[in-house]
Amino acid sequence: MSAPSTNIEKQSKRHRPAIWGIIAAGGFAAVLFLAYLANLAAQGNEPGEDTSAPAAAATTDG
């Protein structure tokens, strides 16, 4: 069954705040994701660098 009375203009006005909220949440998530990627890139390691050993143990004499 379809709705007895559909007023597209009225429904679009009623749903506008929810749509803007979804867009804002998506934009916020995108900004957080890009910040996370930038953080990973800034903390990156060099090829061949051992990340499992502590830094003090890596500098031994001998």
Side-chain angles (χ1 to χ4, degrees):
M1 287 180 64
S2 63
S5 62
T6 55
N7 188 346
I8 301 300
E9 291 83 20
K10 192 176 195 181
Q11 289 177 1
S12 66
K13 284 183 183 179
R14 286 184 180 175
H15 289 86
R16 194 169 295 141
I19 292 172
W20 279 111
I22 292 169
I23 291 170
F28 182 68
V31 167
L32 285 180
F33 181 69
L34 292 175
Y36 174 69
L37 288 179
N39 186 29
L40 285 178
Q43 291 182 357
N45 57 343
E46 294 296 321
E49 186 177 307
D50 187 16
T51 59
S52 62
T59 57
T60 58
D61 293 332

